[in-house]
């Protein structure tokens, strides 16, 4: 079967900065792959590579057997960006943010149909945000904002979800909600690529893990990747850090 995500030998530069160096990654359908690495190790760049938002010097990317552009056009990829990349002053309600997940399915006038409303209500419900639907996104806590973006990705009903640090700046309760929710998705045949600094969540959340440091340092089961000698090489510490 065609993998959900297939990156082959990707090299990405920003001017003089080599951000990814010959990175290959395969995520089979219905699996959860954790993306680990220190700040600046290339995690966000790898997401943008899968999305086709950065130019690769070398390498190929396929999402469900299609090019990134074709997969995005078909609405197959849902993306929760890192918080730093979102303008929180933008005056939209939580409900509107989640509805954006449906835009790809709507006509140019973006008039929601009953299916769209149902998908948005269900996503708000699953992320525990139904009561906050009318609030402005900027008025929410970090954890609630993250959940709103996860809800947007859920409403999209995409086959492949890319989540860039969904637990950063998030309270414990939101983190637990998000982990439980994400863990329930692969049963529905959704494939996930999730970056995180929270190594303690990895065995619970992920089927596989990939440790990145511009190139792939380790790739395999969480137990294989979270070995002390491997973490030592990437993080320079013997025990799992709280935040890298
Ligand atoms: N738009 C950009 N322009 C120049 N350099 C960038 C840009 N985005 C990221 N970088 C650099 O590329 C490297 C990888 O960054 P990034 O993918 O954001 O890593 P991570 O998400 O793991 O923190 C870092 O050295 C970072 O400074
Ligand atoms: Mg990043």
């Amino acid at each position: 079967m065609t993998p959900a995500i297939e990156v082959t030998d990707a090299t990405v530069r920003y001017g003089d900065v080599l951000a990814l160096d010959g990175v290959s990654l395969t995520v089979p359908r219905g699996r959860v792959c954790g993306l680990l690495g220190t700040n600046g190790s290339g995690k966000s760049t790898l997401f943008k590579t899968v999305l086709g938002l950065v130019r690769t010097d070398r390498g190929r990317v396929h999402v469900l057997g299609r090019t990134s552009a074709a997969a995005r056009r078909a609405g197959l990829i849902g993306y929760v960006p890192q918080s730093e990349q979102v303008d929180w002053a933008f005056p939209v309600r939580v409900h509107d943010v989640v509805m954006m997940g449906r835009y790809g399915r709507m006509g140019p006038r973006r008039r929601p149909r009953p299916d769209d409303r149902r998908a948005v209500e269900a996503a708000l419900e699953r992320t525990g945000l139904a009561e906050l639907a009318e609030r402005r996104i900027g008025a929410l806590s970090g954890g609630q904002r993250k959940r709103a973006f996860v809800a947007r990705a859920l409403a999209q009903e995409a086959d492949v979800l890319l989540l860039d640090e969904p637990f950063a700046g998030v309270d414990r309760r939101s983190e637990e909600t998000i982990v439980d929710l994400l863990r329930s998705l692969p049963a529905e045949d959704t494939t996930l690529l999730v970056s995180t600094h929270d190594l303690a969540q990895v065995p619970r959340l992920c089927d596989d893990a990939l440790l990145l440091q511009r190139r792939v340092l380790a790739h395999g089961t969480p137990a294989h990747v979270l070995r002390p000698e491997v973490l030592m090489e990437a993080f320079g510490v013997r025990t799992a850090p709280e935040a890298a």
Side-chain angles (χ1 to χ4, degrees), residues 44 82 164-165:
S44 294
Q82 213 174 321
D164 198 352
E165 299 199 18

Side-chain angles (χ1 to χ4, degrees), residues 12-20 35-48 54 82 85 164-165 195 197 212 214:
V12 175
R13 284 173 217 274
Y14 300 103
D16 292 340
V17 178
L18 178 60
L20 293 181
L35 186 55
L36 316 177
T38 54
N39 282 326
S41 60
K43 300 182 297 297
S44 294
T45 302
L46 184 52
F47 282 111
K48 288 173 189 167
V54 290
Q82 213 174 321
Q85 293 168 11
D164 198 352
E165 299 199 18
S195 71
H197 279 154
L212 195 64
R214 193 179 299 149

Side-chain angles (χ1 to χ4, degrees), residues 6-88:
E6 195 166 28
V7 176
T8 314
D9 197 22
T11 294
V12 175
R13 284 173 217 274
Y14 300 103
D16 292 340
V17 178
L18 178 60
L20 293 181
D21 183 9
V23 169
S24 295
L25 160 72
T26 301
V27 187
R29 291 184 198 201
R31 305 276 286 189
V32 179
C33 181
L35 186 55
L36 316 177
T38 54
N39 282 326
S41 60
K43 300 182 297 297
S44 294
T45 302
L46 184 52
F47 282 111
K48 288 173 189 167
T49 301
V50 174
L51 285 157
L53 298 179
V54 290
R55 233 191 28 194
T56 49
D57 271 16
R58 222 184 43 220
R60 276 169 295 121
V61 179
H62 285 104
V63 177
L64 293 163
R66 311 183 195 200
T67 64
S68 302
R72 273 203 294 148
R73 267 198 307 276
L76 299 178
I77 313 177
Y79 175 41
V80 178
Q82 213 174 321
S83 296
E84 290 76 3
Q85 293 168 11
V86 177
D87 176 9
W88 297 110

Side-chain angles (χ1 to χ4, degrees), residues 66-161:
R66 311 183 195 200
T67 64
S68 302
R72 273 203 294 148
R73 267 198 307 276
L76 299 178
I77 313 177
Y79 175 41
V80 178
Q82 213 174 321
S83 296
E84 290 76 3
Q85 293 168 11
V86 177
D87 176 9
W88 297 110
F90 200 65
V92 286
R93 298 172 310 149
V94 173
H95 188 277
D96 304 326
V97 169
V98 181
M99 188 62 86
M100 285 173 194
R102 304 295 295 180
Y103 280 2
R105 295 166 187 262
M106 295 182 197
R109 304 180 72 189
R110 289 181 176 163
R111 195 163 323 131
R113 282 186 290 229
D115 268 1
D116 299 315
R117 296 191 189 287
R118 268 196 294 276
V120 168
E121 299 310 322
L124 286 167
E125 204 60 55
R126 287 182 83 172
T127 50
L129 289 174
E131 259 95 79
L132 301 176
E134 300 303 318
R135 288 256 193 107
R136 281 202 179 192
I137 189 83
L140 301 187
S141 73
Q144 292 165 339
R145 288 174 181 184
K146 278 292 178 194
R147 282 192 270 148
F149 272 74
V150 171
R152 181 181 72 168
L154 291 182
Q156 188 185 331
E157 293 170 350
D159 295 289
V160 175
L161 290 187

